[in-house]
Amino acid sequence: MPIIIDGKLTSSQIKSEIAARVAEIKTEGGKIPHLAAILVGSDGASQTYVNAKVKACEECGFESTLVRLEESVSEEELLKVVEDINSNPSIDGLIVQLPLPKHISVEKVTDKIKPEKDVDGFTPANVGRMALNWPAYVAATPYGIVELLKRYEIETSGKHCVVIGRSHIVGSPMSILMARNGYPGNATVTLTHSRTKNLEEIARSADILIVALGKAHFVTKDMVKPGAVVIDVGIHRIEDETKKSGFRLVGDVKFEEVSEVASAITPVPGGVGPMTIASLLYNTLLAAEKKVYG
């Protein structure tokens, strides 16, 4: 059996560490971290994610503000709300829950967020600083993966890391982080995607395989080198008549068969997912303590 990389357990440990630091800040009379979230519309999944983030703030002793806006809000109105939060000194971090309605430019909204408050790590300033290995807020999911590799003491130096998926949120920043000089890092990285030729062959050459393609059960046993470490970023709901709910959650990797050959693997659910919120909270703590931008 492979090592199961438990994101749920690790995220709980990180939140406990953050809560302990917040308790110290309170004792010292310092500023309590404050995260603001903007939710546009009534998408069910988005509401679930935002509520989970607000709950996590409470668990860690953070202050939080949730701004709800109608689906019909104009781009100009949303940008004004972002600007108001940018200029509010009591708020340390700001996230705008995606997706946004089609009439609103994600790029414009992201670019409007002050880099010092961009705890999602999506602004050009933070992406650029990350690429240069400067202090930056790293996008929450890639940062969570890096933290899992570190806490499970998985060797990355000199290893061949294959990333499947090139999104700006996961794949692209992940490839940069794994190639950077440091630990985890110093890997030789191949970034692949849906247009890559011989994808199966490249995947089989990976010592560390990070899958963020967005296709359920895409990676099968024959695509994984025996002994490889497999990180599954995907999450999908598929029908399952054996479950009371009528469905179950699966990843981009066929867990049951890939776990027969992998040396370590993240489950879905309970792997990478819980780490995303923990990373977001950690970035907010950094923002409150002015440890990135000073």
Side-chain angles (χ1 to χ4, degrees):
M1 281 294 292
I3 295 168
I4 302 300
I5 301 175
D6 191 335
K8 189 174 181 182
L9 175 63
T10 307
S11 69
S12 294
Q13 293 169 344
I14 292 171
K15 285 190 282 189
S16 293
E17 291 164 10
I18 293 172
R21 177 56 193 144
V22 172
E24 289 177 358
I25 292 171
K26 285 182 179 177
T27 301
E28 296 163 1
K31 185 186 180 309
I32 303 304
H34 186 168
L35 176 66
I38 298 175
L39 176 62
V40 181
S42 55
D43 177 76
S46 292
Q47 290 195 64
T48 299
Y49 293 145
V50 168
N51 290 338
K53 291 166 184 174
V54 170
K55 183 181 177 184
C57 282
E58 293 172 2
E59 291 173 3
C60 290
F62 285 17
E63 294 178 3
S64 65
T65 297
L66 175 56
V67 180
R68 295 179 181 271
L69 300 172
E70 295 294 328
E71 182 97 11
S72 58
V73 68
S74 70
E75 184 177 89
E76 186 179 355
E77 288 170 321
L78 175 54
L79 292 173
K80 177 64 169 60
V81 173
V82 170
E83 189 55 51
D84 288 344
I85 293 173
N86 279 340
S87 59
N88 186 337
S90 75
I91 295 175
D92 304 297
L94 167 62
I95 59 169
V96 179
Q97 184 64 46
L98 302 179
L100 291 172
K102 291 181 180 179
H103 66 278
I104 295 175
S105 165
V106 174
E107 290 77 14
K108 277 188 183 179
V109 173
T110 300
D111 200 38
K112 193 72 170 177
I113 298 171
K114 200 174 179 181
E116 294 90 336
K117 297 193 179 189
D118 168 37
V119 290
D120 257 339
F122 293 162
T123 59
N126 278 310
V127 173
R129 290 170 71 103
M130 176 202 66
L132 292 169
N133 208 1
W134 291 7
Y137 302 123
V138 176
T141 300
Y143 185 81
I145 293 169
V146 165
E147 196 63 21
L148 283 174
L149 294 173
K150 184 191 297 183
R151 293 191 181 227
Y152 276 82
E153 299 181 348
I154 291 168
E155 183 57 65
T156 59
S157 181
K159 301 296 184 181
H160 183 205
C161 174
V162 174
V163 180
I164 303 179
R166 56 180 169 182
S167 74
H168 297 314
I169 295 173
V170 183
S172 292
M174 200 68 241
S175 66
I176 294 168
L177 290 169
M178 292 301 291
R180 290 196 315 185
N181 185 13
Y183 177 73
N186 283 321
T188 300
V189 181
T190 303
L191 178 61
T192 68
H193 44 81
S194 59
R195 303 278 181 95
T196 300
K197 293 181 179 179
N198 303 320
L199 179 55
E200 292 82 1
E201 183 182 337
I202 295 170
R204 273 195 301 273
S205 71
D207 300 305
I208 301 170
L209 183 62
I210 300 172
V211 191
L213 193 65
K215 291 186 179 179
H217 286 163
F218 178 80
V219 171
T220 51
K221 181 179 177 180
D222 60 342
M223 293 173 64
V224 179
K225 179 169 75 174
V229 174
V230 180
I231 306 294
D232 188 353
V233 184
I235 186 160
H236 313 274
R237 195 162 90 162
I238 64 171
E239 291 183 7
D240 186 342
E241 293 178 359
T242 67
K243 301 290 183 182
K244 187 176 179 181
S245 62
F247 69 87
R248 64 189 170 100
L249 298 176
V250 300
D252 287 356
V253 174
K254 273 197 170 181
F255 180 86
E256 288 76 11
E257 60 177 68
V258 171
S259 61
E260 294 175 9
V261 293
S263 63
I265 188 170
T266 57
V268 176
V272 173
M275 293 297 294
T276 300
I277 291 180
S279 302
L280 180 67
L281 295 171
Y282 180 71
N283 278 346
T284 304
L285 178 62
L286 290 178
E289 297 201 273
K290 308 285 191 267
K291 288 192 173 176
V292 173
Y293 283 89

Short mmCIF file of all heavy atoms in Angstrom, two decimals, residues 161-202:
data_model
loop_
_atom_site.label_atom_id
_atom_site.label_comp_id
_atom_site.label_asym_id
_atom_site.label_seq_id
_atom_site.Cartn_x
_atom_site.Cartn_y
_atom_site.Cartn_z
N CYS A 161 9.54 15.88 -12.39
CA CYS A 161 8.16 16.19 -12.03
C CYS A 161 7.38 16.50 -13.29
O CYS A 161 7.76 17.38 -14.07
CB CYS A 161 8.13 17.40 -11.09
SG CYS A 161 6.47 17.99 -10.71
N VAL A 162 6.30 15.78 -13.51
CA VAL A 162 5.42 16.04 -14.65
C VAL A 162 4.12 16.64 -14.13
O VAL A 162 3.48 16.06 -13.24
CB VAL A 162 5.12 14.75 -15.46
CG1 VAL A 162 4.08 15.02 -16.54
CG2 VAL A 162 6.41 14.21 -16.08
N VAL A 163 3.78 17.80 -14.64
CA VAL A 163 2.53 18.47 -14.29
C VAL A 163 1.58 18.35 -15.47
O VAL A 163 1.94 18.72 -16.60
CB VAL A 163 2.76 19.97 -13.95
CG1 VAL A 163 1.44 20.64 -13.58
CG2 VAL A 163 3.77 20.12 -12.83
N ILE A 164 0.40 17.80 -15.24
CA ILE A 164 -0.60 17.69 -16.31
C ILE A 164 -1.66 18.75 -16.06
O ILE A 164 -2.39 18.71 -15.07
CB ILE A 164 -1.25 16.28 -16.34
CG1 ILE A 164 -0.17 15.20 -16.50
CG2 ILE A 164 -2.25 16.20 -17.49
CD1 ILE A 164 -0.73 13.78 -16.53
N GLY A 165 -1.73 19.74 -16.97
CA GLY A 165 -2.65 20.86 -16.81
C GLY A 165 -1.87 22.15 -16.67
O GLY A 165 -0.89 22.21 -15.92
N ARG A 166 -2.29 23.20 -17.38
CA ARG A 166 -1.50 24.44 -17.43
C ARG A 166 -2.31 25.67 -17.00
O ARG A 166 -2.03 26.78 -17.42
CB ARG A 166 -0.96 24.65 -18.84
CG ARG A 166 -2.06 24.67 -19.90
CD ARG A 166 -1.51 24.87 -21.28
NE ARG A 166 -2.55 24.63 -22.28
CZ ARG A 166 -2.35 24.69 -23.61
NH1 ARG A 166 -1.17 25.02 -24.06
NH2 ARG A 166 -3.34 24.44 -24.44
N SER A 167 -3.30 25.48 -16.14
CA SER A 167 -4.11 26.62 -15.71
C SER A 167 -3.26 27.62 -14.94
O SER A 167 -2.22 27.28 -14.37
CB SER A 167 -5.27 26.16 -14.82
OG SER A 167 -4.79 25.79 -13.54
N HIS A 168 -3.72 28.88 -14.92
CA HIS A 168 -3.02 29.92 -14.19
C HIS A 168 -3.17 29.71 -12.68
O HIS A 168 -2.38 30.25 -11.90
CB HIS A 168 -3.57 31.30 -14.56
CG HIS A 168 -3.37 31.65 -15.99
ND1 HIS A 168 -2.16 31.47 -16.64
CD2 HIS A 168 -4.21 32.17 -16.91
CE1 HIS A 168 -2.27 31.87 -17.90
NE2 HIS A 168 -3.51 32.28 -18.09
N ILE A 169 -4.18 28.95 -12.28
CA ILE A 169 -4.47 28.76 -10.86
C ILE A 169 -3.64 27.61 -10.27
O ILE A 169 -3.22 27.68 -9.12
CB ILE A 169 -5.98 28.50 -10.65
CG1 ILE A 169 -6.78 29.75 -11.04
CG2 ILE A 169 -6.28 28.10 -9.21
CD1 ILE A 169 -8.28 29.54 -11.02
N VAL A 170 -3.40 26.56 -11.05
CA VAL A 170 -2.68 25.40 -10.51
C VAL A 170 -1.46 25.01 -11.36
O VAL A 170 -0.32 25.11 -10.91
CB VAL A 170 -3.61 24.17 -10.36
CG1 VAL A 170 -2.83 23.00 -9.74
CG2 VAL A 170 -4.83 24.50 -9.52
N GLY A 171 -1.69 24.54 -12.56
CA GLY A 171 -0.63 23.92 -13.36
C GLY A 171 0.60 24.79 -13.59
O GLY A 171 1.73 24.39 -13.30
N SER A 172 0.38 25.99 -14.13
CA SER A 172 1.52 26.86 -14.45
C SER A 172 2.32 27.25 -13.20
O SER A 172 3.55 27.10 -13.18
CB SER A 172 1.03 28.10 -15.20
OG SER A 172 0.55 27.74 -16.47
N PRO A 173 1.66 27.78 -12.14
CA PRO A 173 2.46 28.11 -10.95
C PRO A 173 3.11 26.88 -10.31
O PRO A 173 4.21 26.97 -9.78
CB PRO A 173 1.44 28.76 -9.99
CG PRO A 173 0.10 28.42 -10.52
CD PRO A 173 0.25 28.22 -11.98
N MET A 174 2.45 25.73 -10.42
CA MET A 174 3.03 24.51 -9.85
C MET A 174 4.34 24.16 -10.52
O MET A 174 5.31 23.76 -9.86
CB MET A 174 2.02 23.36 -10.02
CG MET A 174 2.24 22.18 -9.10
SD MET A 174 1.89 22.57 -7.38
CE MET A 174 3.50 22.27 -6.65
N SER A 175 4.38 24.32 -11.83
CA SER A 175 5.60 23.99 -12.57
C SER A 175 6.75 24.91 -12.17
O SER A 175 7.90 24.48 -12.06
CB SER A 175 5.35 24.09 -14.08
OG SER A 175 5.08 25.41 -14.48
N ILE A 176 6.43 26.18 -11.90
CA ILE A 176 7.45 27.15 -11.48
C ILE A 176 7.95 26.80 -10.08
O ILE A 176 9.17 26.79 -9.83
CB ILE A 176 6.87 28.58 -11.50
CG1 ILE A 176 6.55 28.99 -12.94
CG2 ILE A 176 7.83 29.57 -10.86
CD1 ILE A 176 5.73 30.26 -13.06
N LEU A 177 7.05 26.50 -9.17
CA LEU A 177 7.42 26.19 -7.79
C LEU A 177 8.33 24.95 -7.72
O LEU A 177 9.30 24.92 -6.96
CB LEU A 177 6.18 25.97 -6.93
CG LEU A 177 5.33 27.20 -6.63
CD1 LEU A 177 4.01 26.79 -6.00
CD2 LEU A 177 6.07 28.17 -5.72
N MET A 178 8.01 23.94 -8.51
CA MET A 178 8.78 22.70 -8.45
C MET A 178 10.17 22.86 -9.06
O MET A 178 11.10 22.10 -8.73
CB MET A 178 8.03 21.57 -9.16
CG MET A 178 6.76 21.14 -8.44
SD MET A 178 7.03 20.57 -6.75
CE MET A 178 7.90 19.03 -7.04
N ALA A 179 10.35 23.86 -9.93
CA ALA A 179 11.65 24.09 -10.57
C ALA A 179 12.52 25.06 -9.78
O ALA A 179 13.72 25.15 -10.02
CB ALA A 179 11.45 24.60 -11.99
N ARG A 180 11.91 25.81 -8.84
CA ARG A 180 12.67 26.84 -8.11
C ARG A 180 13.77 26.23 -7.26
O ARG A 180 13.70 25.06 -6.87
CB ARG A 180 11.73 27.64 -7.19
CG ARG A 180 10.79 28.55 -7.91
CD ARG A 180 10.16 29.61 -7.03
NE ARG A 180 9.68 29.15 -5.74
CZ ARG A 180 9.03 29.90 -4.87
NH1 ARG A 180 8.77 31.16 -5.15
NH2 ARG A 180 8.62 29.42 -3.72
N ASN A 181 14.77 27.04 -6.97
CA ASN A 181 15.88 26.61 -6.13
C ASN A 181 15.44 26.62 -4.67
O ASN A 181 15.22 27.68 -4.08
CB ASN A 181 17.07 27.55 -6.34
CG ASN A 181 18.30 27.08 -5.58
OD1 ASN A 181 18.35 25.95 -5.10
ND2 ASN A 181 19.29 27.94 -5.47
N GLY A 182 15.25 25.46 -4.10
CA GLY A 182 14.79 25.36 -2.71
C GLY A 182 14.10 24.03 -2.50
O GLY A 182 14.09 23.17 -3.38
N TYR A 183 13.54 23.85 -1.31
CA TYR A 183 12.79 22.63 -1.02
C TYR A 183 11.40 22.99 -0.52
O TYR A 183 11.27 23.84 0.36
CB TYR A 183 13.49 21.77 0.05
CG TYR A 183 12.67 20.54 0.41
CD1 TYR A 183 12.59 19.48 -0.49
CD2 TYR A 183 11.95 20.49 1.59
CE1 TYR A 183 11.81 18.37 -0.18
CE2 TYR A 183 11.18 19.38 1.91
CZ TYR A 183 11.12 18.32 1.02
OH TYR A 183 10.35 17.22 1.31
N PRO A 184 10.36 22.37 -1.07
CA PRO A 184 10.38 21.49 -2.23
C PRO A 184 10.71 22.28 -3.51
O PRO A 184 10.26 23.42 -3.65
CB PRO A 184 8.95 20.94 -2.30
CG PRO A 184 8.39 21.14 -0.93
CD PRO A 184 9.02 22.44 -0.46
N GLY A 185 11.43 21.67 -4.38
CA GLY A 185 11.86 22.31 -5.62
C GLY A 185 13.06 21.59 -6.18
O GLY A 185 13.30 20.42 -5.88
N ASN A 186 13.82 22.29 -7.01
CA ASN A 186 15.01 21.73 -7.66
C ASN A 186 14.69 20.48 -8.48
O ASN A 186 15.56 19.63 -8.69
CB ASN A 186 16.10 21.42 -6.62
CG ASN A 186 16.82 22.66 -6.16
OD1 ASN A 186 17.08 23.56 -6.96
ND2 ASN A 186 17.13 22.73 -4.87
N ALA A 187 13.43 20.38 -8.93
CA ALA A 187 13.05 19.26 -9.78
C ALA A 187 13.24 19.66 -11.25
O ALA A 187 13.30 20.83 -11.59
CB ALA A 187 11.60 18.87 -9.53
N THR A 188 13.35 18.66 -12.10
CA THR A 188 13.30 18.88 -13.55
C THR A 188 11.84 18.74 -13.94
O THR A 188 11.23 17.69 -13.73
CB THR A 188 14.16 17.85 -14.30
OG1 THR A 188 15.51 17.98 -13.84
CG2 THR A 188 14.09 18.08 -15.79
N VAL A 189 11.27 19.81 -14.49
CA VAL A 189 9.81 19.86 -14.66
C VAL A 189 9.39 19.80 -16.13
O VAL A 189 9.95 20.51 -16.97
CB VAL A 189 9.24 21.14 -14.01
CG1 VAL A 189 7.72 21.19 -14.17
CG2 VAL A 189 9.62 21.22 -12.54
N THR A 190 8.40 18.98 -16.40
CA THR A 190 7.76 18.96 -17.71
C THR A 190 6.30 19.36 -17.51
O THR A 190 5.57 18.70 -16.76
CB THR A 190 7.82 17.55 -18.35
OG1 THR A 190 9.18 17.14 -18.45
CG2 THR A 190 7.19 17.56 -19.74
N LEU A 191 5.90 20.46 -18.17
CA LEU A 191 4.51 20.93 -18.07
C LEU A 191 3.76 20.45 -19.30
O LEU A 191 4.09 20.80 -20.43
CB LEU A 191 4.49 22.46 -18.00
CG LEU A 191 3.11 23.13 -17.96
CD1 LEU A 191 2.33 22.68 -16.73
CD2 LEU A 191 3.25 24.65 -17.97
N THR A 192 2.74 19.62 -19.06
CA THR A 192 1.97 19.05 -20.17
C THR A 192 0.52 19.51 -20.09
O THR A 192 0.08 20.07 -19.09
CB THR A 192 2.01 17.51 -20.14
OG1 THR A 192 1.28 17.06 -18.98
CG2 THR A 192 3.44 17.00 -20.06
N HIS A 193 -0.22 19.24 -21.18
CA HIS A 193 -1.62 19.68 -21.25
C HIS A 193 -2.36 18.85 -22.29
O HIS A 193 -1.81 17.88 -22.82
CB HIS A 193 -1.68 21.18 -21.57
CG HIS A 193 -0.75 21.59 -22.66
ND1 HIS A 193 -1.03 21.41 -24.00
CD2 HIS A 193 0.49 22.14 -22.61
CE1 HIS A 193 -0.02 21.84 -24.73
NE2 HIS A 193 0.92 22.30 -23.91
N SER A 194 -3.58 19.24 -22.60
CA SER A 194 -4.43 18.44 -23.48
C SER A 194 -3.89 18.32 -24.91
O SER A 194 -4.25 17.40 -25.63
CB SER A 194 -5.84 19.03 -23.52
OG SER A 194 -5.80 20.38 -23.98
N ARG A 195 -3.03 19.23 -25.31
CA ARG A 195 -2.46 19.18 -26.68
C ARG A 195 -1.10 18.48 -26.74
O ARG A 195 -0.49 18.40 -27.80
CB ARG A 195 -2.30 20.61 -27.23
CG ARG A 195 -3.60 21.44 -27.27
CD ARG A 195 -4.44 21.12 -28.48
NE ARG A 195 -5.64 21.94 -28.49
CZ ARG A 195 -5.77 23.10 -29.15
NH1 ARG A 195 -4.74 23.60 -29.80
NH2 ARG A 195 -6.92 23.75 -29.13
N THR A 196 -0.61 18.03 -25.60
CA THR A 196 0.70 17.38 -25.56
C THR A 196 0.67 16.03 -26.26
O THR A 196 -0.20 15.21 -26.01
CB THR A 196 1.15 17.18 -24.10
OG1 THR A 196 1.23 18.44 -23.44
CG2 THR A 196 2.51 16.50 -24.03
N LYS A 197 1.65 15.82 -27.15
CA LYS A 197 1.78 14.52 -27.81
C LYS A 197 2.51 13.57 -26.87
O LYS A 197 3.35 13.98 -26.08
CB LYS A 197 2.54 14.67 -29.12
CG LYS A 197 1.79 15.48 -30.18
CD LYS A 197 2.59 15.57 -31.47
CE LYS A 197 1.81 16.36 -32.52
NZ LYS A 197 2.58 16.50 -33.78
N ASN A 198 2.18 12.29 -26.98
CA ASN A 198 2.81 11.25 -26.15
C ASN A 198 2.67 11.54 -24.66
O ASN A 198 3.59 11.31 -23.87
CB ASN A 198 4.30 11.10 -26.50
CG ASN A 198 4.51 10.79 -27.97
OD1 ASN A 198 3.76 10.02 -28.57
ND2 ASN A 198 5.53 11.40 -28.55
N LEU A 199 1.49 12.07 -24.27
CA LEU A 199 1.27 12.43 -22.87
C LEU A 199 1.42 11.23 -21.94
O LEU A 199 2.04 11.32 -20.87
CB LEU A 199 -0.12 13.05 -22.71
CG LEU A 199 -0.54 13.47 -21.29
CD1 LEU A 199 0.47 14.41 -20.68
CD2 LEU A 199 -1.92 14.12 -21.32
N GLU A 200 0.90 10.08 -22.35
CA GLU A 200 0.98 8.88 -21.51
C GLU A 200 2.43 8.49 -21.27
O GLU A 200 2.82 8.15 -20.14
CB GLU A 200 0.22 7.71 -22.17
CG GLU A 200 -1.28 7.90 -22.22
CD GLU A 200 -1.74 8.76 -23.39
OE1 GLU A 200 -0.87 9.22 -24.18
OE2 GLU A 200 -2.95 9.01 -23.49
N GLU A 201 3.25 8.57 -22.32
CA GLU A 201 4.66 8.21 -22.21
C GLU A 201 5.40 9.17 -21.28
O GLU A 201 6.22 8.76 -20.45
CB GLU A 201 5.29 8.23 -23.60
CG GLU A 201 6.74 7.80 -23.64
CD GLU A 201 7.32 7.89 -25.05
OE1 GLU A 201 6.55 7.86 -26.03
OE2 GLU A 201 8.56 8.01 -25.15
N ILE A 202 5.10 10.47 -21.41
CA ILE A 202 5.75 11.47 -20.55
C ILE A 202 5.33 11.26 -19.10
O ILE A 202 6.17 11.33 -18.18
CB ILE A 202 5.38 12.90 -21.02
CG1 ILE A 202 5.96 13.16 -22.41
CG2 ILE A 202 5.90 13.94 -20.04
CD1 ILE A 202 5.46 14.44 -23.06
#
